[in-house]
Amino acid sequence: MTFRPLRSSHRLGENRKNDSIKSPKSLFAKREMSHCGNEPEKASREKLRKLKDLLLKSDNRICADCGAVDPKWASSNIGVFICLKCSGVHRSLGTHISKVMSVTLDEWSDEQIDSMIEVGGNSYANSLYEAFLPPGYSKPNPNSTYEERAEFIRSKYELQEFLKPSLRIVSSKSSHLSSDSGKDKHSSSSIHTSDNAAGMVEFSGILKVKVIKGRNLAIRDMLSSDPYVVLTLGQQRAQTTVIKSNLNPVWNEELKLSVPESYGALKVQVFDHDVISSDDIMGEAEVDLQPMIAGAMAFGDPDLLANMQIGKWLKSTDNALISDSPINIIDGKVKQEVSLKLQRVESGEIDMELQWIPLNQ
């Protein structure tokens, strides 16, 4: 997950007139050429001098994470200078999150140095990554243990717990899901960003999806299948657990996805889990979120409204609906029941319940 922070909003105030952060492409690290088998070109003397000048700035003379003096390491894709002890934690995150380099020992490319300069140093990066530190939160200090550093650094960069709640730094080259099957190697219900985006994304709400059950799913093994469901929205994916040998699985599993201000359809895919080979597709469908979100915004705070229907997604030849999908306010919550006929497969249906939660609720 290649993170690239922007300079703080007050720094760019003359160019920003609202709270939505758009990121210049140059602020986001591209995949290093070394990942493709080619070494990046060495930095010019002029660029190396600029990197040294950046390191000599007062805010960069202490570690961005623990405050230790005279840091000699950097995360070239995040854009911060860090001490030796914190660099060990950064390495443990993996290069998809933090690319650790020695300021004095490693060979830098012009591109890596340009990325560091664009960020502007520790104070600008921290103004974003630590913008919403909880009151009284104690950062690590130079004498903190590895465990204390690891907890903070993971929260700061990997989980992004201290960003503005409606913002996330979307990664590039970060997905842990196989692009062929959507298989998650780590967790059955975690959310991952896909490997083709980079930048800041403004979110407008949370989508809760309860994957209820499947019916008459396709056979992909000898006599049955081991199905699981993958949901994709924008650059995020989430998936259910795998249910062994069942063509009529019941999940009753709730997944959450953040909804960007500019959103598309929710993609639903069912796969057959296979230990040896790539997982087989068992059908897919799309859910149009516009009727639910538009209806919810039109009616306002659902907590103030009685139970009622506020909209409907209609079945047509252009969608996968089995029947019309009503959108209701139930006990102060905007919910929608959806039954889909899986497409591009010989058989299979799936039932879900969607719930919309605006960020201001």
Side-chain angles (χ1 to χ4, degrees), residues 9 18 27 72 86 88 97 112 145 169 200 204 210 217 255 264 336:
S9 57
N18 55 53
L27 292 185
K72 290 294 194 296
C86 287
I97 295 178
Q112 290 166 335
T145 65
I169 300 178
M200 295 299 301
S204 59
K210 184 177 183 180
L217 299 182
L255 306 176
Q336 179 180 6

Side-chain angles (χ1 to χ4, degrees), residues 215 315 319-324 339-341 348-351:
R215 293 187 300 275
K315 175 186 177 182
N319 59 48
L321 280 176
I322 296 174
S323 59
D324 291 349
S339 294
L340 301 170
K341 181 175 179 59
E349 299 175 355
I350 191 164
D351 293 340

Side-chain angles (χ1 to χ4, degrees), residues 14-278:
E14 66 271 21
N15 296 323
R16 306 211 185 281
K17 297 185 179 180
N18 55 53
D19 197 38
S20 176
I21 299 181
K22 308 284 185 184
S23 58
K25 186 176 181 180
S26 62
L27 292 185
F28 294 85
K30 298 177 182 178
R31 191 169 181 87
E32 304 291 350
M33 291 179 65
S34 59
H35 289 268
C36 302
N38 298 317
E39 292 297 328
E41 295 182 4
K42 296 179 182 179
S44 63
R45 288 186 178 182
E46 176 65 17
K47 288 295 175 66
L48 289 172
R49 183 188 63 78
K50 290 183 178 181
L51 178 64
K52 182 179 179 180
D53 290 344
L54 182 64
L55 178 61
L56 291 176
K57 289 185 176 181
S58 58
D59 59 310
N60 298 329
R61 297 310 301 142
I62 62 172
C63 174
D65 297 327
C66 77
V69 298
D70 198 23
K72 290 294 194 296
W73 299 84
S75 173
S76 62
N77 55 336
I78 295 176
V80 292
F81 294 97
I82 52 179
C83 69
L84 177 62
K85 292 180 180 179
C86 287
S87 72
V89 179
H90 277 255
R91 284 192 187 90
S92 72
L93 301 179
T95 55
H96 61 290
I97 295 178
S98 183
K99 173 75 171 178
V100 178
M101 298 184 67
S102 168
V103 176
T104 57
L105 300 177
D106 286 329
E107 293 181 348
W108 290 65
S109 68
D110 283 349
E111 182 181 352
Q112 290 166 335
I113 295 176
D114 285 340
S115 295
M116 295 288 295
I117 294 171
E118 286 285 353
V119 174
N122 292 353
S123 63
Y124 299 122
N126 282 349
S127 70
L128 179 65
Y129 280 103
E130 298 180 7
F132 282 76
L133 275 175
Y137 189 98
S138 180
K139 290 180 57 174
N141 60 61
N143 297 318
S144 293
T145 65
Y146 179 89
E147 289 72 20
E148 292 169 335
R149 295 172 195 270
E151 181 180 1
F152 173 74
I153 290 171
R154 288 186 181 279
S155 296
K156 180 178 177 179
Y157 301 112
E158 184 175 35
L159 303 179
Q160 301 182 37
E161 292 180 350
F162 311 132
L163 290 176
K164 179 182 175 182
S166 63
L167 295 177
R168 285 295 179 269
I169 300 178
V170 178
S171 65
S172 65
K173 310 300 180 185
S174 67
S175 177
H176 293 296
L177 272 72
S178 165
S179 59
D180 294 328
S181 68
K183 184 186 297 186
D184 182 355
K185 299 178 181 178
H186 300 286
S187 170
S188 62
S189 60
S190 56
I191 297 175
H192 301 279
T193 52
S194 75
D195 60 3
N196 61 355
M200 295 299 301
V201 177
E202 185 80 19
F203 292 109
S204 59
I206 302 295
L207 181 68
K208 286 186 178 181
V209 183
K210 184 177 183 180
V211 181
I212 301 174
K213 62 182 179 180
R215 293 187 300 275
N216 193 28
L217 299 182
I219 297 175
R220 288 294 179 266
D221 295 328
M222 291 294 293
L223 299 174
S224 186
S225 297
D226 302 326
Y228 65 94
V229 177
V230 173
L231 304 178
T232 305
L233 179 61
Q235 310 305 327
Q236 302 167 87
R237 290 181 179 179
Q239 74 176 67
T240 67
T241 55
V242 175
I243 296 183
K244 297 290 186 179
S245 302
N246 198 325
L247 300 180
N248 296 282
V250 176
W251 284 281
N252 282 326
E253 189 170 339
E254 188 175 89
L255 306 176
K256 293 181 181 179
L257 296 161
S258 297
V259 181
E261 287 189 342
S262 178
Y263 60 87
L266 173 68
K267 187 173 182 179
V268 181
Q269 295 174 295
V270 181
F271 291 93
D272 170 52
H273 178 73
D274 197 312
V275 176
I276 301 176
S277 61
S278 298

